[in-house]
């Protein structure tokens, strides 16, 4: 007479099946993967034991992605993108992304909060990665109830998420600090330096708050121009301090999500903003991600400027007075593609002009020119080391009206800096 396995035995059996599923995924043995998944669906083991094993296996898959340098917001963005390309309903992409967020929140409990840096914590908040369920044994059951999904659908989604995490994500270059990874050593700074940095950033934020609250364009431009000058000067001050000390933290890399639609022109906008601020950028078109390389203060400026200018560009694009061409055609997509491309091109010119003016004024009576040249060379070297085999692409503009309208909008744009938007804004 068959005996019912104990809870401990049921968990061991379930763990063994999940190990087989992970092995089949890694070996790309699709037949074995389907066979073992079907065994789990038909299993008479205690559902709580199976769910606990599945949750643990998902956590290991997420950790595998982190070890390959994927970050929470990037995983969320790329999973949603994958779901769209696979033809999945939007609702399915949404609950799969939330399952990923829940697994992320659960996995974070394995790491000391002291190892979680500010940017990683912000990304967790952006994707709503919080532990909302009660008791780990019923996590998947509670997830299904919350999203009105039956057990088999939740299990199927969990297995597909495991497959995606192990098979579909290429290793990325290091960008930022992940929980559990070694902390990059940084040059110690004095309390006085940190206080000065804080005061400067507070002044910039105050100017931007005034610029965003006024109803007068001329006043807003004056506030934002002053904020831009302070930020450029702040970057130069850091360069001079590093040069005087004879040591710096060196160039870093960060990745930025480039959301649909019009990814090409958006990536171009990020590239010109980066180049105007002594940084380099590379777009991964298939992933919808771009990497920027530069010194910390310059990366901060690039990220905030890109966010601000992208908001302005999209607003200007959607309110532009689109006209039919001489053949009577009115192609919204080609107009907007050309608009954003021209906007990016002209903004790059404007930003470079502003930086050159600030550099020239700051160089009088100082040794700034060789200092900035050395920093640019360090950024170029770091960029070449990261991406020695990159491929350049050119884009073609097919809508002259969109190009002209985009350049005009770029001339009207405020070179303002604002806080980064939540990563989940564009989907």
């Amino acid at each position: 007479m068959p005996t019912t396995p104990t809870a401990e035995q049921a968990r061991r059996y379930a763990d063994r099946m999940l190990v087989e599923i992970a092995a089949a995924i890694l070996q790309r043995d699709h037949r074995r993967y389907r066979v073992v998944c079907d065994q789990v669906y038909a299993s008479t083991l205690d559902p709580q034991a199976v769910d606990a094993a599945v949750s643990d296996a998902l956590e290991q898959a997420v950790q595998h992605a982190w070890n390959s340098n994927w970050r929470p917001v990037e995983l969320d963005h790329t999973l949603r993108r994958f779901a769209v390309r696979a033809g999945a309903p939007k609702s399915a992409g949404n609950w799969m992304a939330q399952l990923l967020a829940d697994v992320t929140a659960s996995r974070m409990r394995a790491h000391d909060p002291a190892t979680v840096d500010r940017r990683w914590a912000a990304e967790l908040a952006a994707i709503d990665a919080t532990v909302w369920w009660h008791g780990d044994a019923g996590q998947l059951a509670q997830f299904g109830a919350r999203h009105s999904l039956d057990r088999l659908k939740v299990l199927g989604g969990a297995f597909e998420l495991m497959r995606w995490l192990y098979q579909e994500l290429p290793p990325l270059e290091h960008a930022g600090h992940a929980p559990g990874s070694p902390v990059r050593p940084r040059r110690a700074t004095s309390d006085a330096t940190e206080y000065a940095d804080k005061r400067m950033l507070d002044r910039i934020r105050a100017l931007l708050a005034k610029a965003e609250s006024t109803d007068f364009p001329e006043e807003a431009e004056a506030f934002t121009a002053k904020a831009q000058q302070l930020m450029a000067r702040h970057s130069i001050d850091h360069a001079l301090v590093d040069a005087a000390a004879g040591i710096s933290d060196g160039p870093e890399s960060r990745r930025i999500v480039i959301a649909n639609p019009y990814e090409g022109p958006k990536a171009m906008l990020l590239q010109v903003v980066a180049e105007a601020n002594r940084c380099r950028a590379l777009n991964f078109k298939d992933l919808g991600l771009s990497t920027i390389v530069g010194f910390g203060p310059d990366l901060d400026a690039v990220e905030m400027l890109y966010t601000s200018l992208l908001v302005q560009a999209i607003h200007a694009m959607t309110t532009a007075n689109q006209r039919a061409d001489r053949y009577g055609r009115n192609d919204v997509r080609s107009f907007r593609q050309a608009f954003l491309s021209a906007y990016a091109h002209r903004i790059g010119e404007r930003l470079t002009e502003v930086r050159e003016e600030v550099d020239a004024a700051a160089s009088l009576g100082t040794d700034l020119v060789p200092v900035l040249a050395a920093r640019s060379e360090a950024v170029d070297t770091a960029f070449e080391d990261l991406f020695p085999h990159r491929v350049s692409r050119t884009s073609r503009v097919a809508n002259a009206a969109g190009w002209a309208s985009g350049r005009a909008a770029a001339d009207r744009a405020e070179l303002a800096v604002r806080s980064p938007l939540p990563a989940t804004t564009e989907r």
Side-chain angles (χ1 to χ4, degrees), residues 66-108:
W66 293 355
N67 293 344
S68 297
N69 296 318
W70 284 83
R71 299 176 64 86
V73 163
E74 297 163 1
L75 290 172
D76 176 89
H77 164 72
T78 309
L79 177 61
R80 293 176 185 275
R81 181 187 178 93
F82 175 81
V84 169
R85 291 186 171 184
K90 185 175 181 179
S91 59
N94 287 340
W95 72 255
M96 285 284 286
Q98 189 56 58
L99 177 60
L100 173 61
D102 288 355
V103 176
T104 298
S106 186
R107 184 60 188 169
M108 283 302 301

Side-chain angles (χ1 to χ4, degrees), residues 140-161:
L140 290 185
Q142 292 177 65
F143 179 88
R146 193 182 210 196
H147 295 275
S148 301
L149 303 170
D150 63 44
R151 175 175 166 73
L152 290 182
K153 181 161 286 189
V154 173
L155 286 175
F159 297 149
E160 178 60 16
L161 181 57

